[in-house]
């Protein structure tokens, strides 16, 4: 089975975020970037499928030149090939533009299954996976916690409000994965060596047969106007003393001040 | 193009979900600003009767697609019904709840009808002829302001528990318009084999007004029963920080935080949780936060509305009892 995994190079979630003085963006200088952690689980799932059924694993990303690091990590974990869609025309693209570019690259490559992380930890949007499924005409299952493949079909568990839904989708499909689906492996030393040698196929929008009006910034239906820090929460009242007194006071506050009881 | 605000109504056990009422309340005020109507689009099986309810909560028009094939959400069937109506009617703005099915459907619908889409909306505003939204990004370390551009439908996927539902008015009767459904079962490429209810007496985390959450300070899986008891009395959901999940005390779906769920309840009671940034990323949007921890230095206290410095094994049973008394007296 040939599997494509979409990956993204994103700011390390452990790092503090600074908003640029003009509010127009996130200060990226000195900000450490990593492979989006949901995508690590995506690569792991693809590798497990390959180990069971054979076939290939291809990692693909959209992003500036540094994003090649995410592809190299995928190859170091065990992926066979890497595609980097790199085009300044995509800078102002919205999620649908990114999904169109990915769909063009994946459509040209051909595959049985596409795996994406549930969301990327920078913009948290969770839009690209389902939009990609639409552009490819594939079935989809989102936020999957367990995946089993059989001939022409995939069985997926996904968590819904208060229940687990067990779905059967016909292949080809786009699956977006939750963290609980697996435990990702670390890149091996031979893998890291291989990642250095593996040629990354670089594609522009033109290479993919897409015009600016289809996928570029001018086609975007949404635009980020700016960023602000989240409102700072103030420390409230600290209660001390005997447990019974504190509890009485807490209940009084929750009833009379917060009005939530 | 119309000025109407549409709401995709979502059902659970034949009743609209809480998020649907929240969206209708928001749609009401947006539609008044825009000079349009509120249209609820309801898909399901055996849901005709509930249209009155959607009217009472703010819909001027209810469009109902009632078909056995819509009883269970599937991407293909729902899209096949929604796409033609959205394409023909061109709603100005469509509000969808950020639920498991809303997040599955909305991006794909946007791709199909070439709509602008923004997810995780925590504020939605009209600015002249455009719609602007605010959403948390970078695991809640920043807020982004996003504008829809161009013409054609706009889809906003809205976080639960942000907008208060309006009080129902049963004298408001909506216009009910049936949506004809011609679905080819063979075109539905997804089958729901089973929906296994998670064995938990309390509510789903993302829908709860109150969440009682436990951390490492609970010391073991058996002690979650203390939280569950408090949750039962409060009508709350039970969650956890990451350590209890990693230690196998509770399943993954309890986890609140960067690697788990994002919640926005009215009240969040953090028990034995130190307050690592990874956990705060998931719960700091809560309206009121109570922290119970015996370490007065725990970072959770710096964001708590009310901090209780004490042993949770003493405090929680007392709290459960006190709330029980309060509930009894308010009932009597």
């Amino acid at each position: 089975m040939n599997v494509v995994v979409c990956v993204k190079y994103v700011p390390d979630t452990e790092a503090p975020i600074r908003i640029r003085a003009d509010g127009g963006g996130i200060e990226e200088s000195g900000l450490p970037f990593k492979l989006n952690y949901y995508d690590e689980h995506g690569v792991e799932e693809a590798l497990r499928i390959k180990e069971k059924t054979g076939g290939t694993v291809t990692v693909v990303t959209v992003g500036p030149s540094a994003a090649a690091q995410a592809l190299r990590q995928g190859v170091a974990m065990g992926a066979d090939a890497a595609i980097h869609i790199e085009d300044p025309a995509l800078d102002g693209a919205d999620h649908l533009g990114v999904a169109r570019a990915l769909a063009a690259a994946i459509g040209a490559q051909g595959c049985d299954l596409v795996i994406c992380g549930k969301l990327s930890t920078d913009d948290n949007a969770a839009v690209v996976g389902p939009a990609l499924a639409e552009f490819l005409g594939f079935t989809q299952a989102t936020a999957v916690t367990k995946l089993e493949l059989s001939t022409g079909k995939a069985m997926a568990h996904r968590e819904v409000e208060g229940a687990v839904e067990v779905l059967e989708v016909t292949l080809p499909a786009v699956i977006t994965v939750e963290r609980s689906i697996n435990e990702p492996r670390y890149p091996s030393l031979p893998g890291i060596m291989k990642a250095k040698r593996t040629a990354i196929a670089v594609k522009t929008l033109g290479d993919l047969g897409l015009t600016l009006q289809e996928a570029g910034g001018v086609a975007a239906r949404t635009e980020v106007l700016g960023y602000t820090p989240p409102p700072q929460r103030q420390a409230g009242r600290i209660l001390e003393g005997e447990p019974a007194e504190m509890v009485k006071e807490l209940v009084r506050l929750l009833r009379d001040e917060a009005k939530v009881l | 193009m119309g000025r109407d605000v549409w709401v995709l109504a979502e059902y659970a056990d034949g009743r609209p979900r809480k998020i649907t009422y929240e969206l209708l309340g928001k749609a009401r005020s947006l539609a008044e600003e825009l000079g349009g109507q509120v249209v609820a689009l309801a898909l399901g099986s055996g849901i005709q009767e509930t249209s009155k309810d959607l009217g009472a909560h703010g819909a001027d028009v209810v469009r109902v697609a009632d078909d056995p094939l819509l009883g269970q959400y599937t991407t293909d069937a729902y899209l096949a019904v929604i796409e033609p109506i959205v394409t023909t009617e061109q709603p100005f703005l469509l509000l969808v709840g950020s639920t498991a099915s809303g997040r599955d459907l909305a991006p794909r619908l946007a791709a199909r009808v070439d709509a602008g889409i923004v997810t995780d909306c925590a504020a939605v505003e009209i600015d002249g002829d455009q719609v602007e939204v605010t959403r948390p990004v970078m695991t809640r370390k920043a807020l982004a302001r996003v504008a829809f551009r161009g013409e054609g439908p706009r889809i906003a996927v809205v976080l639960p528990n942000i907008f208060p539902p309006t009080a129902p008015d049963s004298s408001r009767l909506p216009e009910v318009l049936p949506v004809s459904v011609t679905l080819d079962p063979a075109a539905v490429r997804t089958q729901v084999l089973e929906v296994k209810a998670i064995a938990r007496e309390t509510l789903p985390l993302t829908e709860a007004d109150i969440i009682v959450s436990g951390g490492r300070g609970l010391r073991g899986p058996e002690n979650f029963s203390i939280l569950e008891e408090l949750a039962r009395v409060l009508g709350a959901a039970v969650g956890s920080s990451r350590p209890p999940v990693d230690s196998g005390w509770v399943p993954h779906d309890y986890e609140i935080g960067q690697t788990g769920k994002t919640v926005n309840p009215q009240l969040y009671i953090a028990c034995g949780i130190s307050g690592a940034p990874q956990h705060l990323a998931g719960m700091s949007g809560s309206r009121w936060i109570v922290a119970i921890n015996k370490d007065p230095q725990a970072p959770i206290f710096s964001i708590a509305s009310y901090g209780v410095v004490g042993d949770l094994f003493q405090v929680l049973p007392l709290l459960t009892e006190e709330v029980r008394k309060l509930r009894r007296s308010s009932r009597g």
Side-chain angles (χ1 to χ4, degrees):
Chain A
M1 183 163 297
N2 295 325
V3 185
V4 171
V5 187
C6 301
V7 299
K8 191 172 182 185
Y9 201 49
V10 295
D12 185 345
T13 55
E14 307 287 315
I17 294 295
R18 280 176 300 139
I19 294 163
R20 286 206 317 252
D22 64 2
I26 303 296
E27 184 56 70
E28 290 191 0
S29 72
L31 184 62
F33 276 64
K34 283 179 94 168
L35 172 59
N36 176 38
Y37 58 59
Y38 290 101
D39 301 346
E40 262 185 82
H41 293 263
V43 173
E44 176 63 36
E45 197 62 20
L47 294 173
R48 290 184 188 193
I49 291 166
K50 180 188 160 184
E51 282 156 9
K52 260 194 211 151
T53 69
T56 60
V57 173
T58 304
V59 283
V60 55
T61 196
V62 173
S65 61
Q69 286 308 318
L71 297 173
R72 297 218 182 270
Q73 185 176 336
V75 175
M77 286 172 73
D80 304 285
I83 303 170
H84 188 170
I85 304 167
E86 187 187 351
D87 195 323
L90 280 163
D91 283 354
D94 61 7
H95 304 302
L96 297 186
V98 169
R100 270 199 192 88
L102 287 168
I106 294 166
Q109 152 106 9
C111 68
D112 308 292
L113 182 70
V114 178
I115 302 180
C116 304
K118 172 177 89 160
L119 53 79
S120 60
T121 56
D122 53 354
D123 59 39
N124 302 205
V127 166
V128 165
L132 175 59
E134 172 64 22
F135 293 135
L136 289 168
F138 288 9
T139 58
Q140 71 183 53
T142 48
V144 169
T145 54
K146 185 177 170 191
L147 183 66
E148 280 169 23
L149 298 172
S150 55
T151 314
K153 285 184 190 322
M155 197 189 55
H157 286 215
R158 57 194 297 265
E159 196 195 306
V160 297
E161 286 71 21
V164 174
E165 190 179 81
V166 185
L167 287 181
E168 189 178 74
V169 296
T170 53
L171 295 179
V174 173
I175 304 289
T176 78
V177 296
E178 261 292 356
R179 263 173 83 102
S180 59
I181 194 167
N182 58 39
E183 202 51 58
R185 70 196 65 188
Y186 290 104
S188 64
L189 190 57
I192 293 166
M193 301 309 288
K194 183 178 134 219
K196 286 185 180 155
R197 291 192 310 269
T198 299
I200 292 173
V202 179
K203 307 273 185 199
T204 62
L205 281 189
D207 296 336
L208 299 171
L210 287 171
T211 64
L212 284 180
Q213 283 68 31
E214 286 171 310
V218 288
R221 289 290 321 272
T222 60
E223 182 191 354
V224 179
L225 302 176
Y227 297 89
T228 47
Q232 283 299 307
R233 286 197 82 103
Q234 301 296 322
R237 197 173 317 186
I238 300 292
L239 310 176
E240 279 171 278
E242 285 305 307
E245 290 165 26
M246 288 191 291
V247 164
K248 278 208 163 56
E249 177 63 2
L250 176 63
V251 169
R252 190 191 68 75
L253 289 166
L254 290 175
R255 189 191 56 200
D256 299 342
E257 191 177 80
K259 299 187 173 25
V260 287
L261 288 187
Chain B
M1 136 155 232
R3 307 282 282 174
D4 292 346
V5 180
W6 287 43
V7 168
L8 182 64
E10 191 179 329
Y11 292 85
D13 305 321
R15 308 275 315 150
R17 275 191 190 285
K18 192 173 132 217
I19 179 81
T20 299
Y21 298 137
E22 295 170 7
L23 297 182
L24 284 171
K26 184 63 189 173
R28 195 65 265 147
S29 64
L30 292 172
E32 272 157 26
E33 227 175 309
L34 285 162
Q37 288 194 305
V38 174
V39 180
L41 178 56
L43 281 72
S45 179
I47 56 161
Q48 278 294 348
E49 273 304 300
T50 59
S51 53
K52 280 197 202 92
D53 207 20
L54 298 174
H57 280 87
D60 301 303
V61 179
V62 180
R63 290 177 171 265
V64 186
D66 200 322
D67 190 280
L69 270 176
L70 301 173
Q72 200 70 258
Y73 169 79
T74 58
T75 317
D76 282 346
Y78 271 54
L79 275 169
V81 174
I82 297 173
E83 183 218 2
I85 191 164
V86 166
T87 305
T88 320
E89 303 291 330
Q90 294 280 309
F92 187 80
L93 173 67
L94 169 64
L95 303 180
V96 179
S98 186
T99 58
S101 53
R103 287 190 298 269
D104 188 90
L105 176 92
R108 186 154 190 161
L109 175 66
R112 188 166 291 186
V113 304
D114 199 25
I117 179 164
V118 187
T119 55
D120 277 5
C121 299
V124 182
E125 285 153 311
I126 307 294
D127 178 25
D129 253 3
Q130 270 304 344
V131 180
E132 288 184 13
V133 300
T134 306
R135 59 190 303 271
V137 294
M138 302 274 167
T139 51
R140 276 201 174 153
K141 283 180 276 198
L143 291 175
R145 188 149 184 89
V146 186
F148 287 91
R149 289 286 177 243
E151 296 300 310
R154 302 156 182 86
I155 302 176
V157 182
V158 175
L159 293 171
N161 295 323
I162 301 276
F163 299 113
T166 46
D169 173 1
S170 54
S171 69
R172 281 183 53 107
L173 291 178
E175 183 185 357
V176 180
L177 300 173
V179 176
S180 74
V181 181
T182 46
L183 271 177
D184 174 8
V188 179
R189 298 167 294 172
T190 306
Q191 250 195 302
V192 179
L193 301 178
E194 195 185 353
V195 180
K196 296 192 252 193
I198 295 170
R200 199 188 295 179
E201 289 174 43
T202 50
L203 298 162
L205 279 170
T206 47
E207 294 187 5
D209 282 327
I210 304 179
I211 293 173
V212 181
S213 199
R216 202 194 302 274
L218 276 169
R219 289 199 228 130
E222 64 286 357
N223 294 326
F224 266 79
S225 62
I226 309 174
L227 291 193
E228 279 154 15
E229 211 176 327
L230 175 60
R232 247 193 310 276
V233 178
L234 285 168
V238 177
S240 84
S241 60
R242 189 162 177 182
V245 173
D246 285 351
S247 309
W249 301 347
V250 290
H252 170 83
D253 63 288
Y254 276 62
E255 188 183 333
I256 292 162
Q258 195 172 284
T259 58
K261 292 188 171 67
T262 300
V263 295
N264 313 285
Q266 289 297 310
L267 173 61
Y268 189 89
I269 305 180
C271 308
I273 290 176
S274 64
Q278 291 80 352
H279 184 67
L280 303 190
M283 51 65 81
S284 59
S286 307
R287 176 83 181 78
W288 297 90
I289 295 171
V290 171
I292 303 170
N293 201 305
K294 63 181 177 193
D295 174 10
Q297 303 304 320
I300 189 88
F301 286 124
S302 69
I303 65 148
S305 328
Y306 306 119
V308 176
V309 180
D311 179 357
L312 66 92
F313 295 102
Q314 288 180 352
V315 172
L316 283 181
L318 289 167
L319 181 56
T320 305
E321 197 41 50
E322 201 63 27
V323 174
R324 197 176 274 143
K325 262 196 254 167
L326 180 72
R327 289 282 143 108
R328 238 184 262 133
S329 67
S330 64
R331 223 176 285 134

